[in-house]
Amino acid sequence: MQTWSSIPVPRVAGEPRPLRLFDTATGEVRPTAPGDTARLYVCGITPYDATHLGHAATYLAFDLVHRVWLDNGHDVHYVQNVTDIDDPLLERAERDQDDWVVLGMRETALFREDMVALRVLPPREYIGAVEAIPEVVEAIAKLLAGGAAYKVDDPEYPDVYFDRSATGRFGYESNYDQETMNRYFAERGGDPDRPGKRHPLDALLWRAARPGEPSWPSELGEGRPGWHIECSAIALNRLGTAFDVQGGGSDLIFPHHEFSAAHAEAITGEHPFARHYVHAGMIGLDGEKMSKSRGNLVFVSKLRAEKVDPNAIRLALFAGHYRTDRPWSAELLASARSRLATWRHAASLPAGPSAADTVARLRDHLGDDLDTPRALAALDAWAAEALSSGGSDATGPTLFRAAVDSLLGVEL
Ligand code: ZN
């Protein structure tokens, strides 16, 4: 898959701050400790519909991770997938009498446009599930050979499943209890009642071909890949094991990230799959989570068509902490537009107060588990002072502008 185009990230004077992030597996904010190359994997979209603000909030949160690591001088190896073959895509294509390949290509193209508009730095490798089928098959073959996977006893549809007890560590990533796992597994695409499984929570690795469904020939028989193994294989083959951050929305904590980790660890025998499992909160509308089943989605492309400045969308989503579930509203967007206008006015002054301390605070807050509400407050304070009392530092407005661009991705 082709990734999207990049933009320059200005270097900012002053001392960078290392990044600490909340890790779902250990339940605490811990320092990230990348080597020269920081390794980031963020789960991508299933391209059956346009990018909504919930998606945008997730990719913006990890864009900040990317930017803070760049500020710290790391080379960032960022990998993202596109689940361009899976049940939701086929169901939508069927519903709309559309070709699933065309639908997937169209929505992936729109997603790229949205990411460019939102100034999200692109992944270095953007990998589709279909193009990754050979490596997914190889991964599943290893699991079968090692006894971590099995074929169900069904001559018609000999699907392959992962034995969740294979690593002896199942549950370490989400820390959910059995009842919560059962609920999310059933709600989020799992098939607890599939006859022939050893355990209701065992996850699908390879779905044998069904009439009318796309399938690919392989040593496992004709079929198509499950979702979790797609991310395990794509990440392992590009980032190796114990990479720095595995990211996604909080609805991926279980079963997706639990199984991606378990599959990869069963393949390599190494633990952990990722050093940090990081999850962004959900965006709501009118008191409910924004989701396709509720039909209450606000699309980035629709806001763009209404000429909303994407920089204002960034600021609106950064007004709340990335880990909190938070509502979208017209008032939130209005307040972000007003903040953007104020910052632009202040940054356009020929001189202002020194911005060095403000930029230090911005770095401190972002380094502290991406605390954007406090970061924005620090920047507001500088802009207010510049507009009320002025100042004689000609580098103040330029430094302010460069830091907001580089670290928050907001263009003034
Ligand atoms: Zn994934």
Side-chain angles (χ1 to χ4, degrees), residues 349-360:
L349 297 171
S354 162
D357 288 349
T358 302
V359 170

Side-chain angles (χ1 to χ4, degrees), residues 41 43 81 227 231 256:
Y41 186 92
C43 291
N81 67 307
W227 176 32
C231 286
H256 186 55

